[in-house]
Structures are given as C-alpha cells and as structure tokens.
Amino acid sequence: FKRFCQDELGLRTGLATLQDGRQRPQIPTAQLAWFTMSMVPLQLQSLLQADQCGRRPAVRVYADSTRDLVTSDSTLQRVLPTFAERPLHALSATVWHTLAARGLTRTTLPSGQRLRVAITDGSGFGRGFASVVLVTGQGEFPLTVEGTTTKGKELRTSRAAWATLRRDLRPGWCDIMLYDGLAFTKEDYRHSKDVNGYDLLVKTDEKGLQLTAAAEEIFQHGTPADIET
C-alpha cells in the first residue's frame, strides 16, 4: 500500500507540499497526512485510536518517523482541521490524472461506449455533514469533500465541490454526474452542461414531482430536439 501510494500514484512529492496551522511543528505535516491515509489498511476506526497506535515503534518505521507520531500539539484531532486546503486539492488532482492516464476512470456501457461517470452524495461525519464526489470506473475513487456543520445544506456543498473540481481538473473532466437530490433548478442543469462541462443526471423513484412529470412529458411526446434541450 505504501509503495503503491507514494510511487505509483505519485504522492511522495505531493505529500511534501502539505501544510497545517502549527507554528513550530514537531512532526512534519507530510508524516501526519500519510499516517491518516493509512488508517484504512491499518484498520484504525477513529482518530483517537490512530493517535494511540502512533506511539508504536513499528508504526514509526512505517511512517518514516524517528519519533512517536503523537505529541501535545500533533494529535490528529487538533491538526487535521488546520490543514491548508489548496495543497490537498492539488494532491487529489495528482491522483486523478494518474488514474485517468491509466484508463481506470471510465465505465463501459452495454453499448460499448466508455464514459467517465462521477457520483455526488451527502454523508454524515459525526457532528459534521458533507457532500462527497467520487468517480467510478475500475473502482471507486473519492475526489473531494465539501463540509458543513449544518444539516440540510447538501445542495450548497455539492455546488461548491463541483466548482473545486472544475478549477483543479478542468471543465468536462467527467461526462455524467449522478446525484440523488431533487432541489435543482433549470439553471443548475444548464450550469452543469455549459460551465462544468458534463450532464447532471438525477436518480429518483418518487412520483408526482414537477421535475419528473416534466421529464416524462418530454420523453413521451417531445421531439429529439426537445430531449436534447
């Protein structure tokens, strides 16, 4: 896992650019970031458990650290919220370009057509909430998270996440964006196509909504030009 992330995905250089809000850090930001990423293969289920694990000699070796990964100013719960966002976004973009170059970000349809399909969904993280964007192809690869402390703001955080990806990747970085929300306006769909460069596809099985009624009317009685519009 370590070799794959640092060498195959090109994270070794990107991790070195990360910064946080500590004035005189005793443990480099890159080591704390790498240790946080490693919580999944190490099967650590909380930041507290990770801090406790960071005192083990074997973990110090794994993280290329000469000292424990926990000090009074370097607990993960204290440091992670102070990470500078732009270097993190750049790191995510590095992973994206590596995966895209290897053809891992495309989904093959039954027709044989290969498209880049992304998914946006809301999720809860303890007392926080966020919109998460991932691309699905030969695997599912998270790209960005836009958080908030207020429940029910998924539309706002989703728009912000899409703007970040448009800036860091480029317009048209995917072909279709799947979303399960129904609060979008006509302008949201136009903005997705004209500015973000992809089609916004909303999945729902709810009946009686104005949005679904209009769509059904177009597909049943409209012309191909109507459907394209």
Side-chain angles (χ1 to χ4, degrees), residues 76-94:
L76 295 179
Q77 189 170 359
R78 288 183 178 180
V79 177
L80 292 182
T82 71
F83 269 42
E85 291 187 4
R86 287 300 293 268
L88 286 172
H89 293 153
L91 193 66
S92 178
T94 296

Side-chain angles (χ1 to χ4, degrees), residues 12 15 18 52 61 68 73 114 150 163 165 169 173 191 222 226:
R12 186 184 301 275
L15 286 171
L18 299 183
Q52 294 171 341
V61 174
D68 291 350
D73 73 331
R114 302 185 73 225
T150 305
L165 292 173
L169 302 182
W173 62 271
H191 187 83
D226 294 329

Side-chain angles (χ1 to χ4, degrees), residues 31-156:
Q31 290 180 350
L32 293 179
W34 169 243
F35 184 43
T36 303
M37 292 173 56
S38 301
M39 287 178 62
V40 175
L42 293 176
Q43 299 182 357
L44 302 175
Q45 300 181 6
S46 69
L47 296 180
L48 175 59
Q49 187 179 11
D51 282 333
Q52 294 171 341
C53 181
R55 296 182 173 90
R56 299 175 183 174
V59 174
R60 294 204 308 264
V61 174
Y62 172 77
D64 296 323
S65 177
T66 58
R67 57 179 302 164
D68 291 350
L69 292 176
V70 181
T71 61
S72 59
D73 73 331
S74 297
T75 61
L76 295 179
Q77 189 170 359
R78 288 183 178 180
V79 177
L80 292 182
T82 71
F83 269 42
E85 291 187 4
R86 287 300 293 268
L88 286 172
H89 293 153
L91 193 66
S92 178
T94 296
V95 174
W96 160 259
H97 289 301
T98 301
L99 296 172
R102 298 186 180 188
L104 300 177
T105 59
R106 294 187 182 274
T107 297
T108 303
L109 303 182
S111 64
Q113 186 179 12
R114 302 185 73 225
L115 300 176
R116 285 180 178 152
V117 179
I119 301 171
T120 302
D121 201 1
S123 185
F125 301 87
R127 291 176 294 177
F129 306 89
S131 290
V132 181
V133 181
L134 60 83
V135 64
T136 179
Q138 297 183 40
E140 295 182 346
F141 309 103
L143 295 177
T144 192
V145 175
E146 188 71 30
T148 178
T149 57
T150 305
K151 188 176 182 179
K153 301 297 182 181
E154 185 176 336
L155 181 58
R156 178 179 61 81

Side-chain angles (χ1 to χ4, degrees), residues 98-229:
T98 301
L99 296 172
R102 298 186 180 188
L104 300 177
T105 59
R106 294 187 182 274
T107 297
T108 303
L109 303 182
S111 64
Q113 186 179 12
R114 302 185 73 225
L115 300 176
R116 285 180 178 152
V117 179
I119 301 171
T120 302
D121 201 1
S123 185
F125 301 87
R127 291 176 294 177
F129 306 89
S131 290
V132 181
V133 181
L134 60 83
V135 64
T136 179
Q138 297 183 40
E140 295 182 346
F141 309 103
L143 295 177
T144 192
V145 175
E146 188 71 30
T148 178
T149 57
T150 305
K151 188 176 182 179
K153 301 297 182 181
E154 185 176 336
L155 181 58
R156 178 179 61 81
T157 54
S158 295
R159 288 169 175 163
W162 297 337
T164 295
L165 292 173
R166 183 181 69 244
R167 179 198 68 199
D168 293 341
L169 302 182
R170 60 176 173 77
W173 62 271
C174 74
D175 300 301
I176 297 175
M177 178 66 70
L178 300 179
Y179 192 78
D180 66 353
L182 297 173
F184 289 118
T185 66
K186 183 186 299 183
E187 293 304 315
D188 283 308
Y189 290 93
R190 289 178 175 172
H191 187 83
S192 292
K193 186 65 174 178
D194 298 340
V195 178
N196 292 338
Y198 49 72
D199 291 301
L200 183 62
L201 180 61
V202 174
K203 175 184 178 297
T204 180
D205 56 5
E206 295 188 39
K207 302 296 183 181
L209 297 173
Q210 183 177 359
L211 176 67
T212 54
E216 289 175 356
E217 178 69 19
I218 290 175
F219 280 103
Q220 289 177 8
H221 306 291
T223 66
D226 294 329
I227 295 174
E228 177 64 24
T229 301

